[in-house]
């Protein structure tokens, strides 16, 4: 079960049993009344965003699931939808769009097979969003999405529809059939999603729109660093030059908590990467690291961190376990430092400041949660089909 807005409850969403996160918690932090507030604060701080957004919003594992996705996209046949060839259906014709996307002979009718195992997804739901500041025309948005997917997946069927019910969030929904015309599955992975987002941005730029598709981390960066070390002379293997040392919001995003970081560069190929970690503050101080120093950095694994566990009233009721990356840092220009690691893989953060921080976060969360519940007019409960 899940809580969704309007007819979105009819589209099945799947999440990992081991990594399931609360959708409501995300809405409390980022949605509702906070959404407009956060947008305005970001615009005042950084200017209106020019970034395009592409995300996976779910999928279907049954024939009925595909039809429900198209119903949501078309607002129960009130809005038109388009296929990969540009053919448009509206009103009573929407049933033809469903026939176009459903393979009645092969698509599963039930979520689970005869052995009780969940069937694979048949379709993927994708959302394309341009920045509001670009003022993209609906026809240009639809054309850009269609061309982007046709270039990336020329043998796959899909339908798309334009939504503008949220004035601050015009977007296009896509129901994408995972199997192509040859029966080969084309599951969309993170790398593919990056390429789709870049392609979407380029299509809009060709139409004259001022948009961006910036990636926070260069694709293949870790592999580039490994290749740089592998091809380096023996004396340079595993050695970096320090480009920057500091303490800032994670990934320099002001909406995230602050953390210590190290920006390093490989010696032979000049590949740069920023490493973030709670331990870097103490390690940098111990090693007296400054810009331009030569260092060795190695990730040793993870260690358990015990943080206060609070009840609903904010009173500590024991401890809960989190995990933190453990690093080994060596400044090659500094000698005589005791670098022996503690054998204890568990750290307890039992200071008063940590407890106060946890209580403040819970207080803020509960305040926003209460406001959302009071203003919520209609709740619908998700169903499986």
């Amino acid at each position: 079960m899940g809580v969704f807005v309007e007819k979105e409850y009819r589209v099945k969403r799947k999440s990992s049993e081991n990594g399931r996160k609360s959708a409501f918690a995300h809405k409390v932090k980022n949605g509702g009344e906070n959404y407009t507030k956060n947008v305005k604060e970001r615009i005042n701080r950084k200017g209106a965003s020019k970034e395009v957004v592409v995300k996976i919003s779910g999928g279907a594992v049954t024939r009925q699931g595909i039809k429900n996705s198209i119903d949501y996209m078309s607002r129960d046949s009130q809005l038109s939808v388009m296929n990969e060839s540009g053919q448009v259906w509206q009103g009573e014709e929407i049933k033809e769009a469903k026939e176009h996307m459903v393979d009645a002979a092969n698509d599963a009718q039930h979520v689970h097979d005869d052995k009780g195992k969940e069937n694979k997804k048949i379709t993927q739901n994708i959302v394309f969003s341009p920045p509001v500041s670009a003022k993209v025309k609906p026809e240009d948005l639809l054309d850009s999405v269609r061309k982007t997917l046709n270039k990336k997946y020329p043998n796959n069927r899909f339908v798309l529809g334009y939504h503008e019910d949220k004035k601050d969030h015009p977007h296009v929904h896509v129901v994408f059939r995972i199997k192509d015309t040859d029966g080969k599955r084309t599951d969309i992975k993170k790398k593919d999603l990056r390429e789709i987002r870049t392609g979407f941005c380029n299509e809009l730029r060709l139409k004259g729109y001022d948009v961006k598709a910036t990636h926070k981390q260069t694709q293949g960066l870790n592999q580039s660093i490994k290749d740089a070390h592998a091809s380096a002379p023996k004396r340079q293997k595993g050695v970096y030059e320090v480009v920057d040392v500091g303490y800032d919001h994670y990934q320099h995003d002001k909406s995230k908590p602050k953390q210590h970081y190290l920006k390093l560069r490989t010696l032979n190929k000049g590949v740069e990467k920023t490493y973030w970690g709670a331990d870097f503050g103490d390690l940098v101080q111990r090693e007296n690291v400054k810009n331009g120093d030569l260092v060795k950095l190695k990730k040793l694994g993870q260690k358990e961190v015990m943080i206060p566990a609070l009840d609903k009233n904010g009173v500590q009721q024991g401890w809960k376990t989190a995990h933190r990356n453990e690093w080994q840092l060596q400044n090659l220009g500094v000698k005589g430092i005791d670098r022996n690691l503690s054998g204890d893989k568990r750290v307890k953060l039992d200071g008063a400041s940590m407890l106060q921080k946890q209580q403040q976060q819970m207080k803020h969360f509960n305040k926003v949660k209460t406001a959302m519940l009071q203003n919520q007019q209609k709740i619908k409960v998700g169903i499986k089909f």
Side-chain angles (χ1 to χ4, degrees):
M1 283 192 172
V3 178
F4 302 96
V5 178
E6 297 180 0
K7 292 275 177 88
E8 198 166 1
Y9 75 99
R10 298 172 64 183
V11 182
K12 181 180 181 298
R13 294 168 186 268
K14 177 182 175 183
S15 59
S16 166
E17 289 295 331
N18 298 321
R20 183 169 293 162
K21 296 182 179 179
S22 167
F24 183 72
H26 175 78
K27 289 180 181 179
V28 168
K29 291 180 180 178
N30 304 290
E33 292 182 349
N34 275 350
Y35 178 77
T36 302
K37 179 182 177 183
N38 291 341
V39 169
K40 289 181 179 179
E41 287 180 352
R42 189 193 69 227
I43 291 175
N44 291 335
R45 184 175 70 247
K46 301 169 62 176
S49 173
K50 296 181 180 180
E51 297 289 332
V52 299
V53 176
V54 179
K55 63 182 181 181
I56 303 294
S57 61
V61 297
T62 65
R63 305 174 208 166
Q64 188 60 45
I66 300 173
K67 295 176 182 179
N68 289 344
S69 297
I70 296 174
D71 280 339
Y72 173 74
M73 177 194 296
S74 67
R75 292 287 191 256
D76 286 332
S77 302
Q78 294 180 22
L79 303 178
S80 62
V81 299
M82 178 189 297
N83 73 354
E84 69 279 357
S85 302
Q87 182 177 355
V88 177
W89 293 291
Q90 55 187 352
E92 293 295 325
E93 299 172 346
I94 297 296
K95 62 182 180 182
E96 296 179 23
K98 296 176 182 178
E99 293 171 358
H100 176 70
M101 291 300 295
V102 173
D103 182 352
N106 298 305
D107 290 348
Q109 189 172 355
H110 304 287
V111 174
H112 298 91
D113 61 19
D114 296 337
K115 297 180 180 180
K117 184 179 179 181
E118 185 169 304
N119 290 308
K120 290 185 178 181
K121 280 186 180 179
I122 305 170
T123 59
Q124 199 89 284
N125 299 336
I126 317 171
V127 180
F128 291 75
S129 305
V132 180
S133 59
K135 298 181 180 179
V136 180
K137 295 178 181 178
E139 59 270 22
D140 288 342
L141 181 53
L142 286 166
D143 186 61
S144 296
V145 173
R146 190 171 65 84
K147 286 182 177 178
T148 299
L149 290 176
N150 275 330
K151 287 180 180 179
K152 176 72 174 172
Y153 304 108
N155 297 323
N156 290 75
R157 286 177 277 165
F158 58 86
V159 292
L160 59 159
Y162 178 79
H163 282 191
E164 58 178 352
D165 46 331
K166 298 178 181 178
K167 293 182 179 179
D168 293 332
H169 182 49
H171 54 280
V172 166
H173 285 275
V174 175
V175 177
F176 177 87
R177 189 167 178 87
I178 295 174
K179 280 189 177 181
D180 63 16
T181 52
D182 297 324
K184 181 181 178 182
R185 289 184 66 86
T186 51
D187 295 285
I188 300 174
K189 303 185 183 301
K190 286 185 178 180
K191 180 181 178 182
D192 301 312
L193 206 58
R194 280 175 176 264
E195 294 176 359
I196 292 171
R197 182 169 175 250
T198 301
F200 175 45
C201 176
N202 292 338
E203 289 294 335
L204 289 175
R205 283 178 174 174
L206 289 174
K207 291 178 169 58
Y209 294 104
D210 185 12
V211 294
K212 295 180 179 179
T214 307
H215 302 297
K216 290 184 178 179
Q217 183 173 338
T218 305
Q219 182 69 13
L221 181 59
N222 290 335
Q223 187 60 47
S224 297
I225 290 175
K226 289 181 182 178
D227 293 343
H229 286 314
S231 62
K234 186 175 181 180
R235 67 181 183 278
Q236 293 183 358
K237 289 184 183 296
V239 179
Y240 300 89
E241 178 187 353
V242 178
V243 178
D244 193 17
V245 183
Y247 181 69
D248 196 8
H249 296 279
Y250 180 63
Q251 294 183 337
H252 307 295
D253 184 343
K254 290 188 177 181
S255 67
K256 298 178 180 178
K258 286 191 173 182
Q259 228 179 61
H260 294 276
Y261 69 89
L262 272 173
K263 187 174 184 179
L264 306 178
R265 179 193 297 130
T266 60
L267 296 184
N268 63 327
K269 292 192 175 181
V271 181
E272 294 185 358
K273 182 179 178 180
T274 302
Y275 296 85
W276 299 83
D279 288 346
F280 284 149
D282 293 335
L283 291 174
V284 165
Q285 187 176 10
R286 185 195 73 188
E287 298 289 332
N288 192 25
V289 174
K290 302 180 297 296
N291 291 357
D293 287 350
L294 298 181
V295 300
K296 284 189 174 183
L297 180 67
K298 183 179 180 181
K299 184 179 177 181
L300 301 176
Q302 289 189 326
K303 58 186 176 183
E304 290 187 353
V305 180
M306 308 298 291
I307 59 177
L310 309 181
D311 62 15
K312 62 181 181 180
N313 297 317
V315 178
Q316 184 176 352
Q317 299 291 334
W319 302 88
K320 61 181 180 180
T321 303
H323 292 86
R324 176 186 292 178
N325 289 333
E326 188 172 18
W327 299 90
Q328 184 181 65
L329 179 67
Q330 179 185 356
N331 188 341
L332 300 183
V334 177
K335 307 296 182 182
I337 294 178
D338 182 11
R339 297 188 175 97
N340 292 325
L341 298 173
S342 170
D344 189 4
K345 286 286 186 179
R346 176 174 292 188
V347 178
K348 181 178 284 190
L349 303 179
D350 53 1
S353 60
M354 175 54 68
L355 177 59
Q356 186 178 11
K357 179 181 178 181
Q358 294 285 99
Q359 291 172 334
Q360 288 176 344
Q361 289 177 344
M362 174 173 278
K363 183 179 179 181
H364 175 70
F365 180 87
N366 287 333
K367 181 179 178 181
V368 179
K369 172 184 173 182
T370 302
M372 285 192 68
L373 289 173
Q374 289 176 344
N375 293 326
Q376 195 170 19
Q377 296 178 352
K378 200 171 184 180
I379 297 178
K380 292 189 176 180
V381 179
I383 59 173
K384 277 190 175 182
F385 35 77

